[in-house]
Amino acid sequence: MSFLAVGVGILLFLLTSFSDPGTVTSANVPQYLSAYPYDNIIFSEKECSTCRISKPARSKHCSICNRCVARFDHHCGWMNNCIGERNTRYFMAFILWHFLICIYGVVALALILAGRLKELKVIYILTEYYGIENSFRALAPQVVQWLLGAYNTQILIMMFLALVSLLLAGFFTYHAKLCLTNTTTNESFKWQEHLSWQRKVSEAKASAEALKASLDELGQERKPQESKWKSFFRRSRLEELEVVKNNVYDRGFLNNIHEVIFPLSTRRSFWANKSKSG
């Protein structure tokens, strides 16, 4: 089982590192243009200045790999490969598998140390020969001290595996959320920039309208003064602003997961489609 676990981990590493992430070429660019239409929000029709081909929506030219990658997520330095449309599934499986291995290591070492405590009758010796009270508060420091003295290497490995598992869990959760909403890391940054810009534009318009309304009121007859409490609790126009993210690529979490596990370019229907512009 140990050899199998390590073997699967190595296999997922090789698949993520050496598989095609979804390279866009002149041969398949019409199919990618049809599969990923422009939303005209964060993606608009343009040409890659390096590859000299049309740039499909959701793609990006990686300066490190020197190629355009479909549904580009990010370039992973650990894998020395881009994470894109065709190998996101291997990348996610790699993170999940190593998270499970780390958790298994922590649990296995904990059970081994617990077995040694029972086998060597450490609790019995501490209570009977050293007169320590048989309670968790009294025994815990003594047991921890004994474990650190006798099995410091194993404790160190447990702490390391626990820390790595937490990091992997956070990393996997972040990318799982992106997959469920059919978004990539690259797109999340683009959305942040777009929403920030939209919010600033909306605030500027609201401020201009509020200023115009104030000037109009000055030109009209004096109205009864508004209650201070009413004016205090009245929401400003800036607070009522709401900028909505409209992700046209989000087809529901089941379809989104299906698209990650079975990429569009691996399906027969992908090669049957042709871009209208092509």
Side-chain angles (χ1 to χ4, degrees), residues 84-100:
E85 185 235 0
R86 294 177 70 100
N87 66 348
T88 297
R89 50 185 174 173
Y90 303 136
F91 178 71
M92 294 294 291
F94 175 84
I95 298 173
L96 179 61
W97 185 256
H98 285 81
F99 165 73
L100 295 175

Side-chain angles (χ1 to χ4, degrees), residues 113-265:
L113 294 178
R116 292 296 292 167
L117 281 172
K118 186 177 180 180
E119 183 181 344
L120 297 175
K121 300 181 179 180
V122 175
I123 304 296
Y124 174 78
I125 293 171
L126 288 173
T127 54
E128 294 296 328
Y129 290 93
Y130 290 91
I132 297 173
E133 183 185 349
N134 191 6
S135 65
F136 178 80
R137 174 178 283 186
L139 286 171
Q142 302 299 326
V143 171
V144 170
Q145 184 179 353
W146 179 80
L147 287 172
L148 288 174
Y151 298 98
N152 53 1
T153 304
Q154 289 83 347
I155 296 294
L156 212 62
I157 293 173
M158 276 185 65
M159 293 175 63
F160 174 74
L161 290 176
L163 178 62
V164 172
S165 65
L166 287 174
L167 294 173
L168 289 173
F171 200 49
F172 179 81
T173 302
Y174 171 74
H175 279 280
K177 183 180 178 182
L178 292 179
C179 291
L180 289 173
T181 57
N182 210 335
T183 312
T184 64
T185 304
N186 177 53
E187 290 169 5
S188 65
F189 289 121
K190 284 180 174 290
W191 274 114
Q192 287 179 10
E193 293 175 1
H194 174 75
L195 293 177
S196 177
W197 177 76
Q198 284 288 95
R199 194 173 290 108
K200 289 178 181 178
V201 171
S202 300
E203 288 176 356
K205 289 181 179 178
S207 298
E209 290 177 2
L211 179 60
K212 184 180 178 181
S214 298
L215 293 174
D216 290 341
E217 288 178 2
L218 289 175
Q220 296 174 357
E221 295 182 0
R222 187 180 181 88
K223 296 182 178 179
Q225 190 173 3
E226 188 179 26
S227 169
K228 290 183 179 180
W229 287 105
K230 188 175 180 181
S231 61
F232 178 79
F233 287 106
R234 184 179 59 186
R235 295 181 63 187
S236 68
R237 298 191 179 188
L238 293 179
E239 292 176 341
E240 294 174 356
L241 290 175
E242 185 179 355
V243 181
V244 180
K245 176 181 174 180
N246 182 24
N247 183 13
V248 299
Y249 307 111
D250 186 356
R251 302 181 178 90
F253 71 92
L254 287 177
N255 290 326
N256 295 339
I257 294 173
H258 186 261
E259 185 176 323
V260 171
I261 299 174
F262 304 102
L264 298 180
S265 60

Side-chain angles (χ1 to χ4, degrees), residues 4-41:
L4 179 63
V6 174
V8 172
I10 294 173
L11 177 63
L12 290 173
F13 173 78
L14 294 174
L15 286 171
T16 309
S17 297
F18 295 102
S19 62
D20 178 19
T23 306
V24 181
T25 64
S26 56
N28 61 19
V29 69
Q31 284 76 22
Y32 274 119
L33 287 169
S34 178
Y36 296 114
Y38 299 108
D39 61 355
N40 293 319
I41 302 176

